[in-house]
Amino acid sequence: MERLKSLRKARGLKQEDVATFLGITKSAYGNYELGQREPSLASLVKLADYFNVSVDYLLERTSNAMIYDSANLSATGNPRLDEMISVFRQLSPSMQENVLLTAKALLNYTT
């Protein structure tokens, strides 16, 4: 599953980080990335949630990583905000926290 590898690397994570999250060994997770082993449905859902993408994206059934939920099937209507949300969702949790802290600091700086 090449997508797993690219998502992990884009977030600066090690195989061990994702394996620990899933509760499996590093080698088992590595086999997912190499396509030598397929994750269970439960693991796929956990991975999709972890990387904030759809299961279909992980399975390469779509090239669109965005998640659409039934409460918000449409975008915000603001292209700039939609882009920011899309980029934010692709960041690791620690990077998301850094973005939030920076945005809040900018708000305080401008007021």
Side-chain angles (χ1 to χ4, degrees):
M1 298 183 83
E2 188 62 35
R3 289 250 167 101
L4 282 177
K5 184 177 183 178
S6 63
L7 287 166
R8 176 182 58 78
K9 286 189 167 197
R11 287 159 179 78
L13 300 169
K14 298 176 186 171
Q15 286 184 342
E16 186 176 356
D17 299 327
V18 183
T20 298
F21 170 77
L22 291 174
I24 60 175
T25 65
K26 177 185 167 187
S27 64
Y29 176 76
N31 286 332
Y32 292 167
E33 286 189 1
L34 293 171
Q36 296 176 347
R37 184 174 175 207
E38 293 185 6
S40 67
L41 178 58
S43 292
L44 277 173
V45 170
K46 284 178 81 172
L47 286 163
D49 289 345
Y50 185 70
F51 290 117
N52 203 21
V53 297
S54 68
V55 171
D56 281 343
Y57 182 77
L58 290 178
L59 295 174
E60 298 184 25
R61 293 173 42 119
T62 181
S63 60
N64 184 356
M66 288 191 66
I67 299 173
Y68 297 98
D69 61 48
S70 59
N72 186 18
L73 291 176
S74 64
T76 65
N78 179 332
R80 185 63 129 191
L81 182 57
D82 293 339
E83 180 182 12
M84 290 174 65
I85 291 169
S86 176
V87 169
F88 185 82
R89 286 180 171 167
Q90 295 176 50
L91 298 172
S92 68
S94 64
M95 291 176 79
Q96 287 178 353
E97 184 63 29
N98 288 338
V99 169
L100 285 174
L101 291 171
T102 302
K104 289 176 182 178
L106 286 170
L107 279 175
N108 290 332
Y109 179 74
T110 59
T111 56

